[in-house]
Amino acid sequence: MDIHSDSYKVAALEDQRDAVEIIQNAETRIAQLTGNPVTLIAYEKSSGPES
């Protein structure tokens, strides 16, 4: 999967276990509700001239 944006980048959450756990729980719950697996992607504003 290639996701590209000049204004945002995929958020680096390696050191934020709580955020990762919340996202994983949301993925699980949405999959239960819809019957389809989902992947949620966290974005953060890019630092650069366009932000």
Side-chain angles (χ1 to χ4, degrees):
M1 176 185 323
D2 181 25
I3 300 172
H4 177 77
S5 170
D6 292 333
S7 299
Y8 291 88
K9 63 182 179 179
V10 175
L13 299 175
E14 295 91 16
D15 298 328
Q16 300 182 34
R17 288 187 181 270
D18 291 344
V20 172
E21 185 177 338
I22 289 168
I23 293 168
Q24 289 172 332
N25 289 340
E27 288 174 335
T28 299
R29 185 66 178 123
I30 292 168
Q32 290 170 344
L33 291 170
T34 65
N36 295 305
V38 297
T39 300
L40 300 178
I41 302 169
Y43 284 94
E44 62 185 357
K45 198 104 166 125
S46 294
S47 57
E50 69 280 351
S51 358

